[in-house]
């Protein structure tokens, strides 16, 4: 018999299950392997809706039984796979459609010397990351010197075949959750940070922030881990763990904005110019086969209208998590699970495999 208890580490599925039950749609947990080539989940929430069955786990949504090659089902964004898996390719596509993206170049780890020697050709600062990475891992923004650049290149190359070097744009990272054909939720992804009190050092303030996180127990918000990357980011900004920030001074501890590294998810809709929802929806609608994504967008000044030079689309996430919208660190909850289920109920979810290619890794 299937275990029908929720997985405590998959709040995404918990959110979807609770919303499905509230609408009277049947669910149960099932076991299965989507792909033996990637560490995908093996335990899935099965939802029966609109005459079809869907499988969901950790942000990944499958149409059950629609894939003749795999036993579980076809990915909801299967037709957009070649773009969503390749960050540079997706940016080039969006740029050609008239949307703003940061300029970048891709290097293969088999030609590591080309990547290392290319540093003088870039206008700094730059961001180094995997071209096919996920969950904000091995992303190094704001690099302005060669030593850090080469270190980042080597770290990415140790685990990935393709390395992306792009201009490091600044502003606020806003994540737009898109369910075809519109944006259904918006949040600010604020990097791990602390606020000074004029007496405590950064290390003590991190401990206090982590204690607050444990007391509040907001799903999707992990403790801030003090590791070499955090220390290096502080050093890059001229600070150390012993520094004492001024009262009310916010000190950022990382350049990335992932919940697993201590970022805060904040409802920012009231501070964002309304034109961005239409622009990001248009960008997502332009991608064939893209039904559901979270677009990460760096915005220099969110109060100004959407226009090139004030925003850059960084990437389109193939398996976007929903927990931070339902459980924000600050602000109102946004019903992303409801928007997904409504989309499925309408029968709008169609997926087809992308054209075959011999070049995909």
């Amino acid at each position: 018999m299937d275990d029908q208890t929720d997985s405590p580490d998959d709040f995404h599925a918990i959110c979807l299950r609770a919303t499905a039950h509230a609408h009277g749609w049947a669910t149960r947990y099932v076991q299965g392997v989507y792909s033996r080539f990637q560490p995908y989940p093996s335990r899935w929430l099965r939802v029966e809706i609109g005459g079809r069955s869907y499988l969901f786990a950790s942000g990944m949504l499958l149409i059950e039984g629609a894939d003749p090659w795999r036993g579980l089902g076809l990915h909801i964004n299967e037709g957009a796979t070649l773009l969503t898996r390749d960050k540079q390719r997706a940016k080039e596509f969006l740029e050609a459609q008239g949307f703003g993206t940061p300029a970048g170049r891709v290097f293969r780890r088999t030609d590591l010397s080309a990547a290392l020697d290319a540093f003088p050709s870039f206008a700094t600062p730059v961001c180094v990351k995997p071209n096919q990475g996920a969950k904000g891992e091995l992303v190094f923004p704001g690099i302005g010197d060669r030593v850090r650049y080469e270190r980042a290149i080597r770290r990415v190359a140790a685990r990935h075949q393709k390395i992306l070097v792009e201009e490091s744009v600044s502003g606020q990272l806003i994540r737009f959750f898109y369910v075809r054909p519109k944006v259904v939720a918006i949040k600010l992804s604020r990097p791990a940070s602390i606020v000074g009190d004029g007496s405590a050092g950064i290390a003590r303030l991190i401990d206090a922030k982590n204690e607050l996180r444990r007391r509040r127990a907001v799903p999707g918000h992990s403790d801030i881990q003090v590791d070499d990357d955090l220390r290096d980011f502080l050093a890059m900004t001229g600070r150390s763990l012993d520094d004492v920030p001024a009262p009310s001074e916010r000190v950022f501890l990382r350049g990335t904005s992932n919940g697993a590294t201590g970022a805060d998810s904040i409802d920012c809709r009231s501070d964002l110019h309304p034109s961005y929802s239409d622009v990001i929806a248009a960008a997502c609608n332009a991608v064939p086969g893209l039904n559901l994504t979270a677009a990460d967008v760096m915005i220099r000044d969110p109060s100004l209208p959407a226009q090139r030079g004030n925003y850059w689309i960084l990437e389109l996430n193939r398996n976007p998590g929903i927990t931070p919208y339902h459980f924000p660190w600050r602000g109102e909850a946004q019903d992303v699970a409801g928007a997904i289920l409504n989309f499925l109920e309408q029968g709008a979810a169609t997926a087809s495999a992308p054209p075959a290619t011999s070049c995909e890794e």
Side-chain angles (χ1 to χ4, degrees):
M1 178 179 293
D2 294 315
D3 180 7
Q4 295 309 297
T5 59
D6 286 317
S7 297
D9 58 344
D10 190 356
F11 274 97
H12 309 294
I14 293 173
C15 290
L16 198 77
R17 188 184 192 209
T19 303
H21 287 182
H23 288 79
W25 293 312
T27 70
R28 65 187 179 95
Y29 284 103
V30 298
Q31 299 289 331
V33 177
Y34 174 66
S35 171
R36 60 190 176 89
F37 299 108
Q38 297 288 341
Y40 289 126
S42 60
R43 189 170 188 264
W44 302 80
L45 178 70
R46 186 175 188 266
V47 182
E48 299 175 16
I49 181 173
R52 302 193 71 167
S53 297
Y54 302 88
L55 300 171
F56 181 81
S58 300
M60 181 182 292
L61 180 63
L62 310 179
I63 305 174
E64 188 176 27
D67 188 345
W69 299 284
R70 295 192 182 101
L72 282 181
L74 200 67
H75 196 286
I76 197 71
N77 294 323
E78 198 72 27
T81 294
L82 295 183
L83 277 178
T84 55
R85 274 185 167 175
D86 189 318
K87 299 183 193 302
Q88 182 62 17
R89 193 178 204 172
K91 290 191 304 170
E92 290 171 354
F93 175 88
L94 293 172
E95 189 72 32
Q97 304 298 313
F99 301 100
T101 67
R105 291 172 58 190
V106 173
F107 300 89
R108 290 183 175 273
R109 70 178 176 192
T110 52
D111 192 8
L112 192 60
S113 60
L116 296 173
D117 293 342
F119 179 73
S121 69
F122 295 111
T124 56
V126 296
C127 177
V128 177
K129 59 186 177 183
N131 191 47
Q132 295 181 328
K135 298 182 179 180
E137 296 179 350
L138 294 175
V139 177
F140 304 99
I143 296 175
D145 65 87
R146 184 156 195 155
V147 171
R148 287 189 172 88
Y149 172 81
E150 293 186 354
R151 185 190 309 152
I153 290 288
R154 294 183 186 281
R155 287 187 61 183
V156 175
R159 289 179 50 188
H160 294 270
Q161 295 188 30
K162 292 183 179 180
I163 309 146
L164 173 58
V165 181
E166 64 184 14
E167 62 175 320
S168 189
V169 292
S170 60
Q172 296 186 37
L173 184 63
I174 311 294
R175 174 168 278 205
F176 296 78
F177 204 102
Y178 162 87
V179 179
R180 184 171 289 274
K182 62 183 180 180
V183 169
V184 300
I186 304 168
K187 73 178 184 72
L188 166 67
S189 300
R190 185 173 66 192
S193 63
I194 48 85
V195 177
D197 62 7
S199 61
I202 290 176
R204 283 180 51 198
L205 292 169
I206 291 174
D207 291 339
K209 179 70 174 284
N210 285 340
E211 178 58 31
L212 175 61
R213 290 174 103 78
R214 297 183 195 113
R215 290 201 309 270
R216 290 187 58 186
V218 179
H221 291 80
S222 302
D223 281 1
I224 300 171
Q225 302 295 328
V226 177
D227 55 18
D228 289 342
D229 287 340
L230 184 146
R231 294 186 183 91
D232 186 63
F233 182 82
L234 284 176
M236 190 167 60
T237 58
R239 312 203 71 142
S240 73
L241 289 168
D242 296 327
D243 284 1
V244 177
S248 301
E249 179 188 4
R250 183 172 297 280
V251 177
F252 290 100
L253 307 171
R254 296 184 186 274
T256 55
S257 303
N258 190 275
T261 58
D264 299 326
S265 296
I266 299 170
D267 176 9
C268 65
R269 289 170 292 176
S270 62
D271 301 321
L272 182 69
H273 195 278
S275 60
Y276 282 99
S277 290
D278 292 338
V279 169
I280 301 307
C284 295
N285 285 325
V287 180
L290 186 65
N291 291 311
L292 184 156
T293 189
D296 287 329
V297 185
M298 188 69 77
I299 303 178
R300 190 187 303 278
D301 187 343
S303 68
L304 296 179
Q307 57 184 355
R308 292 178 66 90
N310 193 51
Y311 80 91
W312 300 266
I313 300 175
L314 304 184
E315 63 180 284
L316 302 174
N317 295 273
R318 188 168 183 250
N319 304 309
I322 67 176
T323 302
Y325 296 95
H326 287 259
F327 298 96
W329 183 253
R330 190 181 73 205
E332 298 296 323
Q334 301 176 71
D335 188 14
V336 172
I340 294 172
L341 293 171
N342 288 337
F343 171 74
L344 300 180
E345 184 186 29
Q346 294 165 9
T350 59
S352 59
T357 174
S358 60
C359 299
E360 184 182 4
E361 294 181 348

